[in-house]
Amino acid sequence: MLKVKSSAAYRIAITYSAAFALAVVLLGAAMYQVADADFRRQQDGLLKQETANLAQEYDEGGLPDIVSAIATREAGSSIKAFGYALFDRSGRRIAGSLDTARPTLGLGAIAFRDPIEGPDSARADSRDLRDGYRLVVARDTEIMEGIDRTIVLLFGGAFVLVIAFGVVGAVMLGGYLQKRLDRISGVARAIMAGDMAQRVPVGARGDEFDAASAALNMMLDRIGQLMENLRQVSSDVAHDLRTPLLRLRNQLEQVGTVEGAAARAIEQGDAVLALFAALLRIAEVEGGGLTRSFVLADVSALTIDIAESFAPAFADGGRRLTWSVAPGIAVLGERELIAQALVNLLDNARLHTPPGTRIEIRLSADDKTARLSVRDDGPGVPVADHARILQRFARGEASRTTPGNGLGLSLVAAVAAAHGGSVAVATNDPGLCVTLTVPKVAA
């Protein structure tokens, strides 16, 4: 019982049932008033019609005809639908069995004496005739009271059924809501206990609970991915920092005894700082706050500028850099980020290809997207590692002996995501092709 009282699901269900019951009560009261008024209007119409008929009898045949008509009506049926009385000028009843005093004119309530039940009330219509006579036609209000009681009993029974069904429905609805919510709570408690693999069950009906469950599962998947990334980053940072820190320590020990040790120590310190700077830059890009500073950027001109500035360095290393750039391609973004992404792709191609390799930059677009790719005909990367090399600290060599920290392509992926795009890694056959795709601004 305590659980029911403290349950929002049951409170919602009971409140809905109570509101529905109140609506039924209000509807029943309104219908009762309308029905009662309509029956009384019909009764008044019948009274007026009967009074008019008898008045016509008097107009056509005088006093004998109306007295005869009243007697005939009272004797003609075992069920007395109407009561009749005819009064003379002095107020004496001269016809009819309706035992009442001479009433006022028009429609109204009168008191009369029932031969069986005693004093009673009725609804009557009174009309004056020629020669000072007053005709009264009445109808016992017991008939209307019986109709009213019938209506009240019918609505009372219907209300009891509504309450019964409402209680059953509230219990069922509250139980259903609580069951669905308990599943979500159970998963949350399991995750808090450390079982990160738990997910909220999603039904096949696709209702609001299923939509909320699917959204929660997506959130949990994202949280799990972020936690895994954090774990991986922590591990990789520790691994990647150990070597430069050991070298830095060794160089510091040699300062003052070995020539050049101070310069090499500074160089190792700069490498550690560069690692942290790259991590902070990736975190800044992935934070999503940079979109407020996005402006229209001419990617075509930017790509040509970077290609022309990098071409001599590639040539000095025995590599050939070419480019094919479609003109007039613009995107909404941050120019420095896009430039950094392209520089990282070029550095990745330069560091991981042998002399004699041909590297090509291609920039093209369709109606909706711009595609910037860097491809080479070098040794490439195994297909199984294509997705992995976009992660932080991913390196193609387990020994990690080549320069770099494995954050270049990770920053490219972060830049693409910040611009609402994506990065794809594919085989160039031979070599590798990395393509950055972002939404294009319509011309």
Side-chain angles (χ1 to χ4, degrees):
M1 187 64 179
L2 182 60
K3 186 177 181 180
V4 173
K5 289 183 178 179
S6 62
S7 170
Y10 280 106
R11 285 201 303 271
I12 292 171
I14 293 172
T15 301
Y16 174 80
S17 298
F20 184 72
L22 178 61
V24 170
V25 170
L26 295 176
L27 178 63
M31 291 185 66
Y32 171 80
Q33 294 293 332
V34 171
D36 182 71
D38 187 62
F39 286 138
R40 293 185 185 279
R41 187 165 50 251
Q42 292 182 30
Q43 176 181 255
D44 290 347
L46 293 173
L47 286 171
K48 288 184 176 182
Q49 182 63 44
E50 185 67 6
T51 304
N53 292 338
L54 287 173
Q56 186 176 0
E57 293 278 354
Y58 179 79
D59 291 338
E60 293 176 353
L63 184 61
D65 279 7
I66 192 172
V67 171
S68 175
I70 290 174
T72 301
R73 280 170 166 78
E74 289 184 339
S77 175
S78 59
I79 301 176
K80 299 296 188 293
F82 296 101
Y84 303 93
L86 181 65
F87 297 91
D88 61 13
R89 189 185 301 274
S90 65
R92 182 173 58 90
R93 179 162 52 92
I94 59 175
S97 60
L98 181 63
D99 187 3
T100 184
R102 176 172 168 154
T104 58
L105 290 175
L107 288 168
I110 64 169
F112 74 100
R113 184 174 183 81
D114 190 288
I116 300 174
E117 299 178 358
D120 205 347
S121 61
R123 179 79 170 171
D125 182 34
S126 302
R127 176 180 295 195
D128 282 343
L129 306 177
R130 295 193 315 271
D131 303 323
Y133 294 106
R134 181 165 292 179
L135 173 65
V136 179
V137 178
R139 190 177 179 91
D140 195 342
T141 56
E142 186 176 350
I143 298 174
M144 288 301 303
E145 291 170 358
I147 294 174
D148 289 344
R149 284 194 298 271
T150 301
I151 295 175
V152 171
L153 287 174
L154 287 174
F155 276 107
F159 180 70
V160 171
L161 289 176
V162 167
I163 291 296
F165 282 116
V167 171
V168 174
V171 172
M172 294 178 63
L173 177 60
Y176 172 77
L177 293 175
Q178 193 169 58
K179 181 180 179 182
R180 297 297 297 267
L181 293 173
D182 283 346
R183 293 178 182 174
I184 299 175
S185 300
V187 171
R189 285 190 292 269
I191 291 175
M192 286 189 294
D195 187 1
M196 297 300 298
Q198 287 288 332
R199 293 295 181 268
V200 182
V202 179
R205 286 175 293 186
D207 57 19
E208 291 83 353
F209 282 102
D210 294 328
S213 298
L216 287 173
N217 288 341
M218 293 174 62
M219 180 187 71
L220 292 173
D221 290 341
R222 178 60 176 162
I223 291 174
Q225 180 183 4
L226 292 175
M227 291 182 66
E228 176 61 24
N229 287 344
L230 180 61
R231 185 195 63 80
Q232 184 65 36
V233 167
S234 301
S235 175
D236 289 340
V237 166
H239 190 281
D240 279 62
L241 281 179
R242 182 170 54 187
T243 299
L245 288 176
L246 286 175
R247 291 174 180 170
L248 177 60
R249 181 181 181 278
N250 292 334
Q251 295 300 325
L252 290 175
E253 287 180 346
Q254 297 175 9
V255 172
T257 60
V258 178
E259 184 179 355
R264 289 190 293 272
I266 293 173
E267 183 181 349
Q268 291 298 324
D270 290 340
V272 173
L273 292 174
L275 173 63
F276 279 105
L279 286 171
L280 290 173
R281 186 57 169 164
I282 293 174
E284 180 186 11
V285 174
E286 290 181 339
L290 298 174
T291 55
R292 293 187 295 268
S293 62
F294 280 4
V295 295
L296 192 65
D298 187 346
V299 182
S300 298
L302 175 65
T303 302
I304 293 174
D305 288 344
I306 294 176
E308 289 176 347
S309 62
F310 267 72
F314 274 79
D316 292 343
R319 299 169 184 82
R320 181 187 175 196
L321 177 63
T322 62
W323 54 92
S324 173
V325 178
I329 298 178
V331 301
L332 189 64
E334 186 172 316
R335 190 176 186 277
E336 289 74 14
L337 284 180
I338 299 172
Q340 184 64 61
L342 179 56
V343 168
N344 284 12
L345 291 176
L346 292 174
D347 280 340
N348 187 72
R350 179 178 58 84
L351 291 173
H352 300 289
T353 58
T357 302
R358 180 176 178 270
I359 295 98
E360 180 185 12
I361 304 172
R362 289 187 186 178
L363 177 64
S364 60
D366 55 23
D367 293 337
K368 295 182 179 180
T369 59
R371 293 180 300 277
L372 176 62
S373 64
V374 174
R375 59 189 66 205
D376 61 68
D377 56 3
V381 175
V383 176
D385 291 336
H386 282 183
R388 189 182 65 83
I389 62 175
L390 297 177
Q391 300 174 1
R392 291 184 179 92
F393 299 105
R395 305 286 294 278
E397 300 159 320
S399 63
R400 300 175 180 254
T401 56
T402 58
N405 48 37
L407 295 175
L409 292 182
S410 179
L411 179 59
V412 173
V415 170
H419 287 78
S422 61
V423 174
V425 180
T427 299
N428 195 37
D429 197 25
L432 187 69
C433 175
V434 182
T435 303
L436 173 65
T437 303
V438 294
K440 173 192 170 187
V441 177

